[in-house]
Amino acid sequence: MKITNTIRISLAGLKANKLRSALTILGIVIGITSIILVVSIGNGAQGLILGEIQSMGSRTLTVEPGKPSGGLSDSMMTFFQQSLKENDLESLKKKANVPHLQSIIPIVFTSDNINFGNEVLSATILGSSEKIFDFYKIIPAEGSLFTEDDVKGKTDNCVIGSKIKEKLFGNIDPVGQKIRVKNKTLRIVGVLPEKGGGFSFNYNSAIMAPYTTIKDYVLSQKYYNEFIVEVDQDKYIDQTVQDIQITLRNNHNITDPEKDDFNVQTQKDLMKTVGTVTTVMTLFLALVAAISLLVGGVGIMNVMFISVTERTKEIGLRKALGATNSDILNQFLFEAIYLTLAGGLLGILFGSLFSYVASIGLSQALSSNWAFSFPISAALMGIGVSAFIGVVFGIYPAYSASKKNPIEALRYE
Amino acid sequence: MSNIIEVKNLHKSYIVDEKEIPVLNGIDFAIPEGQFIAIMGPSGSGKSTLLYSLGLLDRPTSGHYFLNGKETSKLDDKKLAKVRNEEIGFIFQSFNLLRRTSIYDNVRVPLVYSNVPESKHKEMVIKALESVGLDAKLYKKQPSQLSGGEQQRVAIARAIINNPTIILADEPTGNLDSKSGAMVMKVLQDLNKKGHTIILVTHETSTSEHADRIIHLLDGVIDSDKKVANRRYVEKEKYIK
Ligand SMILES: Nc1ncnc2c1ncn2[C@@H]1O[C@H](COP(=O)(O)OP(=O)(O)OP(=O)(O)O)[C@@H](O)[C@H]1O
Ligand SMILES: [Mg+2]
């Protein structure tokens, strides 16, 4: 029998039970919709994060305490957390050690309460050199920023994020006001601009001050939490990573790189890590969504069995009129495939629609440019998977239909 | 005249719960081409089973069945389907039309399973409908919109659309009133006149007398096999639309 006839007969069979057909594919629709949604949002998030990392410049390296791969006990971890010391900073700054280091921003940070009068607020307290403002391209919204002289002179000048201003000061002009952190007093010289959403450092709820002040005066700690290093030229990135490693190993008396108590990350590393993490997350969520496909498939199988039983007499009749076993098998298999394909196409439609709406919503919520991209690969996969489910869950009912004895089928009431 | 059908020592039993239930216990007969045969017998005597076996819907348990001189037990499932499609037309007591499917699509089911090009379907459906005395305009309707007699004639149109040599009818008038039944018998007699071999299962003696030979079954064997002395014909006047 010609394929067009099989298609026509199968479609007629579905049309005869419109409501049931529609309800049957619901599981598939929901499954494909959620997969498309998850993959699309996952891709969007990944694009956004990677974009931000890239915007920080490819010549940026970060040096952090701790073993590159982690996996240490807590006490060891704490010890390693304090591995970046003053002499490390001095050594790294020396041209003889790291010739292509253009600049280095030492970072200390913590989270603590800050007080203004009787008001208390929890905030991120970040100490750095004034170069951080260039790094994040920050222009003050009010007042000024702290300067190189502030860093050198360990002054108590600090700047605050927009959220802090709003919550702690309300209508009062914060510039010139004094706040207390860990019982030390800092003087506000400026307010940072409001930062849109995103995944890099959000300084809206932070106060920033010279690292010298924060490290020695406020926190009295002997170590740094991070160094941000700028390499002078792209081609020296790898060499600079090595120079930093050699310098720090030398300072820390480390001979076996396996025992490093610090790690140097390039933007490439970071992007790779972020890429892997978001991909794994996306795949995991898509897998969860795929479970509903499985449930949908079982539903289709169930309905196909009901349909085969209901139409036993039709099967007997068709065989009496010349249908072969494979004609009958194809008829029911195609019915199942149409159902799942229709479900898949609807799922792609809804999934794309929802992720488009979500991308608009997220763009506004994060006030960033969340790009919507139609997840072509997920859509193609959705079509493939739904057809596959049709075959997998349709073949057994269709086979049982084709094997019916025509005489018994004709006698069936 | 050559024998279109020949059965020799045909046995058929069903297996129910691993027990063999014999239904046909050695049937022998030959049917020349163009004959009109009525099969009679009490309920459960195996009439339908014999008819379905002749229609190649199932294989006999043992014995021989020659169709057009060819032993059918050697045919595989695909060939059997082809023979059912091209050589045999089935008519059932309960019409067996597909619900929610137009008359047109019902009548052309056998064409769909043969290789008749789609472009010829309409013409053939109309011809078949007209040859059973139905208005060709009915073809867009659904079975539920027709009377029982009309539905059975649609079923006959379906049975003959591929121009089969043999027509097998299992109590085709069983669900019809006498007038509709007479119309159906008239159609069958007309088809017989055109050369189709007809095998009709019936309970009613009066119906069986429209055939030219009556085979009587009893407990799965032939009890009697006689020519009809006074064959009845449905007169033109009775054939009212
Ligand atoms: N698929 C089957 N499985 C088991 N037994 C069957 C099957 N089909 C028919 N039978 C049995 O075979 C016997 C003959 O059945 P068949 O339908 O051929 O009789 P029949 O002469 O056509 O009867 P009726 O006049 O009532 O239609 C019956 O006893 C019936 O119960
Ligand atoms: Mg019967």
Side-chain angles (χ1 to χ4, degrees), chain A residues 149-345:
Chain A
D149 289 341
D150 289 319
V151 175
K152 279 190 183 144
K154 283 193 202 178
T155 67
D156 57 2
N157 286 348
C158 74
V159 291
I160 58 169
S162 57
K163 271 238 176 71
I164 301 217
K165 177 200 161 184
E166 180 191 316
K167 288 202 181 143
L168 216 48
F169 295 94
N171 292 330
I172 306 168
D173 179 8
V175 177
Q177 301 288 350
K178 292 198 166 143
I179 50 172
R180 291 184 68 74
V181 182
K182 285 203 176 266
N183 272 329
K184 306 278 158 61
T185 305
L186 294 176
R187 203 169 59 89
I188 297 168
V189 294
V191 178
L192 298 170
E194 192 169 327
K195 183 183 189 294
F199 299 89
S200 61
F201 177 50
N202 186 332
Y203 44 75
N204 288 344
S205 313
I207 68 173
M208 295 169 77
Y211 72 92
T212 46
T213 313
I214 298 293
K215 178 170 163 287
D216 301 338
Y217 171 61
V218 176
L219 299 176
S220 341
Q221 69 179 37
K222 299 244 174 307
Y223 56 92
Y224 291 97
N225 295 93
E226 188 180 329
F227 296 137
I228 298 174
V229 172
E230 191 118 17
V231 183
D232 57 4
Q233 283 180 57
D234 271 343
K235 57 182 172 185
Y236 295 125
I237 290 175
D238 290 345
Q239 193 199 320
T240 305
V241 170
Q242 274 183 7
D243 289 341
I244 293 172
Q245 286 172 334
I246 291 166
T247 309
L248 291 180
R249 276 178 204 142
N250 202 25
N251 279 5
H252 299 178
N253 293 321
I254 293 167
T255 43
D256 179 5
E258 288 284 300
K259 297 207 168 110
D260 276 358
D261 54 6
F262 62 91
N263 68 83
V264 185
Q265 277 210 321
T266 62
Q267 295 295 33
K268 242 197 324 206
D269 292 339
L270 193 60
M271 284 170 83
K272 217 159 88 185
T273 312
V274 167
T276 316
V277 169
T278 48
T279 304
V280 168
M281 274 302 282
T282 304
L283 281 182
F284 174 73
L285 289 173
L287 207 70
V288 172
I291 291 173
S292 85
L293 277 186
L294 202 71
V295 176
V298 173
I300 295 229
M301 180 142 109
N302 188 23
V303 165
M304 287 313 295
F305 268 122
I306 295 172
S307 169
V308 167
T309 307
E310 268 181 4
R311 286 151 71 190
T312 298
K313 211 162 185 174
E314 176 188 330
I315 294 166
L317 174 78
R318 286 186 183 277
K319 285 193 165 189
L321 298 181
T324 61
N325 288 355
S326 57
D327 288 335
I328 301 292
L329 182 109
N330 287 341
Q331 176 185 339
F332 284 95
L333 188 57
F334 270 74
E335 273 197 31
I337 294 175
Y338 291 144
L339 282 177
T340 53
L341 262 185
L345 289 174

Side-chain angles (χ1 to χ4, degrees), chain A residues 57-79:
Chain A
S58 60
R59 288 184 286 114
T60 306
L61 307 178
T62 56
V63 184
E64 286 172 357
K67 214 182 173 184
S69 49
L72 287 165
S73 70
D74 284 350
S75 57
M76 289 292 273
M77 210 60 188
T78 333
F79 174 73

Side-chain angles (χ1 to χ4, degrees), chain B residues 83-117:
Chain B
V83 173
R84 288 198 294 266
N85 183 250
E86 292 172 356
E87 312 269 351
I88 295 165
F90 282 98
I91 303 164
F92 306 91
Q93 178 172 356
S94 54
F95 322 141
N96 278 349
L97 297 178
L98 299 175
R99 295 176 311 136
R100 290 188 242 184
T101 305
S102 67
I103 300 305
Y104 172 72
D105 279 330
N106 263 290
V107 172
R108 75 188 181 122
V109 171
L111 301 181
V112 165
Y113 294 113
S114 59
N115 282 324
V116 178

Side-chain angles (χ1 to χ4, degrees), chain A residues 3 15 33 38 46 66 76 102 126 142-143 153 165 180 183 224 268 284 299 308 319 342 359 365 375 404:
Chain A
I3 192 88
K15 253 193 238 152
T33 301
V38 164
Q46 188 169 354
M76 289 292 273
Q102 189 177 56
L126 185 121
E142 293 170 38
K165 177 200 161 184
R180 291 184 68 74
N183 272 329
Y224 291 97
K268 242 197 324 206
F284 174 73
V308 167
K319 285 193 165 189
S359 75
K404 278 193 191 293

Side-chain angles (χ1 to χ4, degrees), chain A residues 320 406-407 410-411, chain B residues 5 7 10-12 14 23-24 27 29 31 35-40 44-60 65 67 72 83-84 87-94 96 152 159 166-173 188 197-203 213 215 217 220 222:
Chain A
I407 297 190
L410 276 168
R411 282 181 195 268
Chain B
I5 284 173
V7 292
L10 193 77
H11 285 78
K12 174 76 195 174
Y14 293 107
V23 177
L24 300 179
I27 306 270
F29 63 73
I31 300 175
Q35 208 166 44
F36 192 146
I37 293 177
I39 297 177
M40 294 198 67
S45 56
K47 304 181 298 292
S48 295
T49 303
L50 176 60
L51 197 75
Y52 289 153
S53 297
L54 294 177
L56 293 170
L57 283 174
D58 206 356
R59 294 166 195 277
Y65 171 19
L67 185 73
T72 56
V83 173
R84 288 198 294 266
E87 312 269 351
I88 295 165
F90 282 98
I91 303 164
F92 306 91
Q93 178 172 356
S94 54
N96 278 349
Q152 189 61 299
I166 303 164
I167 292 169
L168 304 176
D170 195 355
E171 306 193 35
T173 59
L188 289 179
T197 306
I198 292 176
I199 304 174
L200 164 87
V201 167
T202 179
H203 267 115
R213 175 182 172 191
I215 291 177
L217 281 191
I222 294 179

